Each structure stands twice: as C-alpha cells, then as structure tokens.
Amino acid sequence: MPSSPAGTDARQTLRSLFLSDLHLGARASRPAQVLEFLRDIEAETIYLVGDIFDIWHGGRIHWSDSHEAVLADLRARATDGARIVYLPGNHDSAMRAPDAKVEGWELREAMVHKAADGRRYLVMHGDQCDPRFLRWHFMTRLGSRLDAMLRQIDDWHRRNATLDRHSRSPAQRVIDRANRVMAMGDRFENRLTTLARAAGVAGVICGHSHKPALRQRDGIMYANCGDWIDSLTALGEDRQGRMRLIEYSPERARTPARPLPPQQAPNDSGALAGGIA
C-alpha cells in the first residue's frame, strides 16, 4: 500500500488533500492529532470526505478547544484561498440538507475530481453503497452508541491494565471486527469501483469503512482515506497528479512515497462527466 509517514518534522505541499472520518464530537475523535497533521500540510484543495462531524448518535457531544482549533484551521485556509469541499457522510448526514451550509466551504453529495495528470476520480463518502439496512437511521445511531460504549471499555482497560498504547485491547478487537463486517468483505469496495466504472472515471476516493487503501481493481483505482480514530491516514495528490496515502506518525521520519503507476486518462464521457471539480 503506497504510503508515507507524516510527523512534526515533515512539511508537505500538495495539490489536493482528502480527509475523512474525523468524527469530531465523538468520544473517540482525535482533534489534537488532526490539527498537528494539518499544520504540517499545505494544500490547494482539501476534500472533507464525510463523517467530519459525529452529530447523529443522539448522545453526548464531546467538544473541546481542540475541536474548535481544527475548524479554525480550516476556516483560515479558506480565507487564505484554499478550496474546502465538504461531502457529508452518514454520521453528519444532516449537512446533506438543501439549506445546510458552512461559510467558506462547498457542500456536495458526490463529485468528480480532476487530477493534475488528467485522470478523474469519483469522490464520495461511501455510505451510499451500503446495503439498505445499514443506511437506516436506527443502524447509524445504534452503531455510534455501541462504538462509544466500546471506546469507554477500551479507555478503562488501558487505565487499569498493563496494556501499552500500541497493543490492541479486547474492545479494540471487537471494533475492528465490526468495521470488517460493515465493509462486508470486498462488497463495499466492489460496489464503489463498479460505480466508478459506470461513471467513466479512473477511480473512486472514499472513506466510511475506516480501512485505508490505495490499489487498482480491474483497471479502476480504489482509494480509501482511512479515518482519524484508528488508522490516522489521509490521501494526498501531488502537483503531478500522483496519489499516495499519508500516515500520521510523529515518531517516524518521513520517507519518500511510492506513487501510483501511470495510467492513461479515460475519456470525458460517463454518468458524472458534468460534475468535474
């Protein structure tokens, strides 16, 4: 999986940055790490690929100065001329309402991003490709409540047991298992790449499953940004149009990323050809 670590000593200039699943407002969100990561990145366009806020669980909203600082950083970038595109997911689906808005941000359900090398990518959170029962309001709310409960158990276990922060607790293993079930094996990835092929684009960029990935599937690139609960990853596009996963890891030195191999850009026909970013 092509990737490169990013820490406090790494400053990167990107054409586009894709972030998903920050879950700001959830117990498990990590705004301090998001903020530190953003301070090491310059990007002309930032895509917020869904579940940026966790505002649908019906429980307590966990909000702090660090959460505000993340939003302040993004607002400052928009003021300075960066393009901020927000594509809400299932945990912040209230922002899909026709009258929803965030000053300085573009709100979209899905769109096509045109990379510097001419290749085009469908960008969407990914919950649109879930089985119908997983798209029910009840299932999203139940999943959020169960995740919060498991995170509490994990916190307690780490405080009261000799478990270092690199080890996986029993609660964390349950969470990992649940994320794999949500992805339903390869079906989530297959549905998204099938949609991208129908749209006549080179690939799809998504989030939702909390499983970072950057690979080719039958000639279609599947790129998943990962999340900012567990994987702490993002997707970056450089000025030549090359895509790579970036892993937040302040303890590791930055190493050169291995870019995606060149591929002929598809033609501009397809179901979403009119939505080029």
Side-chain angles (χ1 to χ4, degrees):
M1 181 169 64
S3 65
S4 63
T8 55
D9 60 344
R11 187 148 190 95
Q12 302 186 58
T13 300
L14 301 172
R15 183 173 183 266
S16 305
L17 175 69
F18 302 82
L19 289 166
S20 75
D21 295 88
L22 275 57
H23 289 280
L24 299 176
R27 174 184 294 275
S29 64
R30 301 192 184 190
Q33 286 87 340
V34 174
L35 186 63
E36 186 174 355
F37 174 79
L38 286 173
R39 285 174 173 166
D40 291 335
I41 297 287
E42 292 293 338
E44 296 173 11
T45 300
I46 298 177
Y47 290 90
L48 303 174
V49 193
D51 286 358
I52 301 306
F53 304 102
D54 203 297
I55 55 178
W56 203 11
H57 52 74
R60 177 186 172 191
I61 300 295
H62 298 267
W63 202 261
S64 67
D65 290 344
S66 294
H67 292 81
E68 288 293 340
V70 172
L71 297 185
D73 181 277
L74 293 169
R75 283 195 296 268
R77 290 169 186 265
T79 299
D80 290 342
R83 184 185 181 198
I84 310 293
V85 183
Y86 176 26
L87 303 98
N90 53 312
H91 284 255
D92 49 10
S93 62
M95 301 304 295
R96 287 172 172 166
D99 59 346
K101 61 180 180 179
V102 179
E103 185 176 355
W105 296 8
E106 299 176 34
L107 267 68
R108 305 282 187 91
E109 172 84 13
M111 65 185 302
V112 173
H113 168 73
K114 187 172 183 179
D117 61 3
R119 285 184 284 183
R120 304 182 312 129
Y121 302 95
L122 174 62
V123 186
M124 59 194 300
H125 180 60
D127 63 299
Q128 300 92 333
C129 290
D130 279 346
R132 185 177 298 275
F133 77 93
L134 287 178
R135 297 200 298 268
W136 294 343
H137 174 92
F138 168 76
M139 293 300 292
T140 299
R141 191 165 184 170
L142 175 63
S144 292
R145 291 291 184 89
L146 290 175
D147 184 81
M149 180 184 71
L150 288 167
R151 300 287 177 179
Q152 283 185 286
I153 295 171
D154 179 66
D155 289 344
W156 180 91
H157 194 92
R158 292 183 185 281
R159 287 196 307 268
N160 294 278
T162 55
L163 188 69
D164 65 65
R165 64 189 183 89
H166 298 292
S167 300
R168 308 193 80 71
S169 70
Q172 184 62 59
R173 286 194 288 271
V174 173
I175 293 169
D176 291 343
R177 175 68 176 174
N179 286 337
R180 287 195 295 271
V181 169
M182 184 182 72
M184 303 187 74
D186 290 336
R187 278 181 283 182
F188 174 74
E189 187 172 328
N190 286 337
R191 289 181 177 187
L192 283 161
T193 53
T194 297
L195 186 60
R197 182 174 290 106
V201 296
V204 60
I205 297 171
C206 65
H208 188 47
S209 71
H210 291 208
K211 295 174 66 177
L214 180 60
R215 52 178 168 261
Q216 292 280 347
R217 289 183 64 92
D218 299 324
I220 298 293
M221 191 190 81
Y222 172 77
N224 192 303
C225 307
D227 71 292
W228 285 81
I229 303 295
D230 298 306
S231 64
L232 307 186
T233 57
L235 184 73
E237 177 205 356
D238 67 20
R239 297 188 184 279
Q240 287 72 49
R242 294 172 297 194
M243 298 287 183
R244 69 176 185 270
L245 281 171
I246 306 170
E247 178 184 0
Y248 169 79
S249 182
E251 297 170 352
R252 295 166 57 188
R254 182 183 176 191
T255 58
R258 290 182 289 114
L260 193 71
Q263 175 182 317
Q264 183 177 358
N267 61 40
D268 284 343
S269 62
L272 296 176
I276 297 174

